[in-house]
Amino acid sequence: AQKITQTQPGMFVQEKEAVTLDCTYDTSDPSYGLFWYKQPSSGEMIFLIYQGSYDQQNATEGRYSLNFQKARKSANLVISASQLGDSAMYFCAMREGLGFGNEKLTFGTGTRLTIIP
Amino acid sequence: EAGVVQSPRYKIIEKKQPVAFWCNPISGHNTLYWYRQNLGQGPELLIRYENEEAVDDSQLPKDRFSAERLKGVDSTLKIQPAELGDSAVYLCASSSVGLAGGHENEQFFGPGTRLTVL
């Protein structure tokens, strides 16, 4: 079974609108972390936001927020007031186990987001 | 602060030729990762170093791939001989491992090396 599933290969969104990128995950480990990365055409993976499995509140970082629904095993990324510079590939990733030695990230297949002027 | 540096950015070789990629992590980061990203896919871990020790190389195809991080700083990933299926982007990342886990384990990625095998 896929550990990280991103079901939207591509999305087109009007500038200034909000957008939600879906991510579901599969793990039996009670301790895990969920990450979202942005990959522009330049190729570099840029960290956006992190959610720990024990965090009580949804993570927020500026225009990025994570809609964490633990029971449904989903960690959707919400980008508010989208900008043209948000056009990129977006990857959801998970690290199982939060202790020392559990740093491996498992990535989904990504969603290509295109912002339309 | 300088980010993760990788070179070359692009490499085109013929199959059966050797190729090497170089990575210099962020200063002070003891953990270094090599990922391979195939077209249309997310990155997949090849090998992880803690200082100079390879602590997870289970996904590294050891018949043709090798890596080293001799002084626990920069690292080299080599493929010999390269095959057509090795065409991909090779990403290097580094992190400063904390005992408590969480955000402090964020991995910082370099720009990658795009390899094309003809």
Side-chain angles (χ1 to χ4, degrees):
Chain A
Q2 292 291 325
K3 287 184 177 288
I4 295 288
T5 302
Q6 295 181 255
T7 58
Q8 306 152 310
M11 289 189 70
F12 291 85
V13 173
Q14 204 75 37
E15 188 180 7
K16 298 182 183 179
E17 290 186 350
V19 56
T20 297
L21 305 181
D22 295 340
C23 173
T24 58
Y25 58 92
D26 182 29
T27 180
S28 57
D29 195 321
S31 300
Y32 53 89
L34 297 159
F35 299 76
W36 277 93
Y37 281 86
K38 172 184 178 181
Q39 188 176 42
S41 56
S42 60
E44 188 170 346
M45 300 284 283
I46 302 169
F47 168 78
L48 296 178
I49 197 166
Y50 167 83
Q51 181 86 42
S53 59
Y54 296 117
D55 293 344
Q56 295 296 312
Q57 294 185 329
N58 287 345
T60 60
E61 291 282 352
R63 294 187 299 112
Y64 304 108
S65 60
L66 203 150
N67 184 1
F68 182 46
Q69 298 187 43
K70 196 170 182 177
R72 298 179 62 182
K73 293 188 175 180
S74 74
N76 298 340
L77 176 69
V78 180
I79 305 175
S80 63
S82 58
Q83 303 170 356
L84 295 178
D86 293 335
S87 294
M89 284 290 289
Y90 288 80
F91 289 95
C92 179
M94 176 174 64
R95 184 181 69 239
E96 295 175 274
L98 298 179
F100 181 75
N102 293 308
E103 289 80 23
K104 176 183 175 180
L105 285 179
T106 301
F107 287 83
T109 53
T111 296
R112 180 172 296 282
L113 176 65
T114 302
I115 306 300
I116 304 168
Chain B
E1 179 182 302
V4 176
V5 179
Q6 289 188 249
S7 68
R9 290 295 313 276
Y10 304 92
K11 189 73 176 180
I12 301 174
I13 62 172
E14 294 188 344
K15 63 181 181 182
K16 300 184 182 180
Q17 294 300 305
V19 64
F21 315 124
W22 176 80
C23 172
N24 192 26
I26 291 174
S27 177
H29 282 191
N30 53 329
T31 307
L32 184 146
Y33 315 76
W34 282 103
Y35 288 86
R36 177 169 60 189
Q37 185 176 18
N38 292 316
L39 187 64
Q41 302 293 317
E44 295 179 322
L45 181 69
L46 290 174
I47 188 168
R48 174 169 66 91
Y49 282 92
E50 295 293 341
N51 300 304
E52 64 273 10
E53 182 182 359
V55 295
D56 184 357
D57 62 355
S58 57
Q59 301 302 311
L60 190 72
K62 298 181 182 62
D63 56 337
R64 298 182 300 107
F65 285 66
S66 64
E68 60 183 15
R69 193 185 184 198
L70 293 176
K71 297 183 179 179
V73 180
D74 56 348
S75 175
T76 303
L77 177 69
K78 298 178 182 178
I79 308 175
Q80 183 171 7
E83 297 178 352
L84 295 176
D86 296 331
S87 294
V89 176
Y90 291 83
L91 293 163
C92 179
S94 70
S95 68
S96 177
V97 178
L99 296 178
H103 193 265
E104 63 196 286
N105 293 104
E106 173 192 340
Q107 295 181 24
F108 295 83
F109 285 79
T113 297
R114 183 177 297 276
L115 173 67
T116 302
V117 182
L118 303 176

